[in-house]
Amino acid sequence: EDQVTQSPEALRLQEGESSSLNCSYTVSGLRGLFWYRQDPGKGPEFLFTLYSAGEEKEKERLKATLTKKESFLHITAPKPEDSATYLCAVQARDSNYQLIWGAGTKLIIKP
Amino acid sequence: DSGVTQTPKHLITATGQRVTLRCSPRSGDLSVYWYQQSLDQGLQFLIQYYNGEERAKGNILERFSAQQFPDLHSELNLSSLELGDSALYFCASSAQGGFGEKLFFGSGTQLSVL
């Protein structure tokens, strides 16, 4: 069964303290892995799409990487405005285009 | 602003009632998705439409139905509402609904069933 697991469930960091969020997946043929950011009471906002192992993408303080079994979202020198829930989703070959979502990691950056 | 518009933002109703949630996709997008998000279930896919036709169904209850109209806006109808239907309902849109496409989400409709 296709599955996406995110860890940790929650992460508290001091401003400037770098860390990584994990998204591990089990799917039959990966077509794409997506990262979204969700602020409280709002819809998820697209961050990155990764398609193959070894691929990396960056945006400001965020960097996403992909292996054959997992993806990491690295946050470098985070600021309080980076506080949000980060969602990972995968699109599998046999999923009829649908995304399989992880439960998310709630990131809190303290000033 | 994602360009996806959802109305209403909040909806409070009673058990047994029926409600309709409305979504206007981003200009040019042909595919619309409906998701349910609750605290204990995360983001759950309900249904997808592409250019007026149903493309995929997820964990959508028989009490729920949806459609996409010729102008591409979509409506999600929830009937015989139960307390457990209280959740945030999101609509999202994408260009073609295919592989690798990013979704643009609306701000959601918060449904409270009392």
Side-chain angles (χ1 to χ4, degrees):
Chain A
E1 181 184 347
D2 297 336
Q3 196 169 357
V4 177
T5 303
Q6 291 189 246
S7 62
E9 288 186 11
L11 182 61
R12 286 175 168 77
L13 301 171
Q14 286 293 141
E15 183 174 0
E17 181 184 1
S18 301
S19 187
S20 297
L21 313 182
N22 178 265
C23 171
S24 62
Y25 61 91
T26 307
V27 296
S28 53
L30 181 71
R31 296 300 296 264
L33 185 142
F34 302 78
W35 283 99
Y36 284 80
R37 168 194 170 126
Q38 185 175 23
D39 293 302
K42 295 188 176 181
E45 179 183 351
F46 172 79
L47 292 173
F48 305 108
T49 307
L50 303 167
Y51 295 101
S52 57
E55 190 174 358
E56 299 182 351
K57 288 193 177 174
E58 288 188 65
K59 180 181 178 180
E60 296 180 357
R61 296 176 291 281
L62 300 177
K63 179 180 177 180
T65 63
L66 181 64
T67 73
K68 288 186 177 180
K69 293 184 178 181
E70 58 193 349
S71 176
F72 292 94
L73 185 64
H74 307 277
I75 302 176
T76 302
K79 299 181 178 182
E81 54 261 41
D82 295 321
S83 298
T85 294
Y86 290 85
L87 299 168
C88 169
V90 300
Q91 201 171 41
R93 180 182 60 219
D94 300 325
S95 67
N96 194 22
Y97 307 110
Q98 294 319 304
L99 296 175
I100 304 161
W101 293 83
T105 293
K106 184 174 183 178
L107 178 66
I108 299 170
I109 308 299
K110 297 176 287 184
Chain B
D1 182 8
S2 67
V4 177
T5 304
Q6 286 189 250
T7 57
K9 290 190 181 304
H10 302 278
L11 202 48
I12 301 174
T13 188
T15 55
Q17 295 298 306
R18 171 189 170 96
V19 296
T20 298
L21 282 52
R22 182 187 169 100
C23 169
S24 294
R26 217 169 53 114
S27 178
D29 284 356
L30 298 178
S31 194
V32 169
Y33 309 74
W34 285 98
Y35 283 90
Q36 180 191 60
Q37 188 176 44
S38 55
L39 289 175
D40 59 344
Q41 290 285 332
L43 204 58
Q44 298 291 315
F45 168 68
L46 297 178
I47 198 164
Q48 178 196 4
Y49 282 84
Y50 171 73
N51 204 21
E53 298 292 325
E54 181 184 306
R55 169 169 275 184
K57 242 178 183 178
N59 300 321
I60 188 167
L61 300 173
E62 286 191 9
R63 301 184 285 109
F64 296 0
S65 64
Q67 54 183 327
Q68 185 179 26
F69 295 87
D71 67 353
L72 301 178
H73 91 272
S74 178
E75 293 181 356
L76 178 66
N77 299 296
L78 314 176
S79 62
S80 302
L81 285 168
E82 303 175 358
L83 296 176
D85 297 327
S86 296
L88 197 51
Y89 291 83
F90 287 109
C91 168
S93 72
S94 70
Q96 300 287 332
F99 286 116
E101 287 188 1
K102 56 187 176 185
L103 302 186
F104 294 87
F105 283 81
S107 296
T109 294
Q110 179 68 60
L111 175 65
S112 299
V113 183
L114 306 178

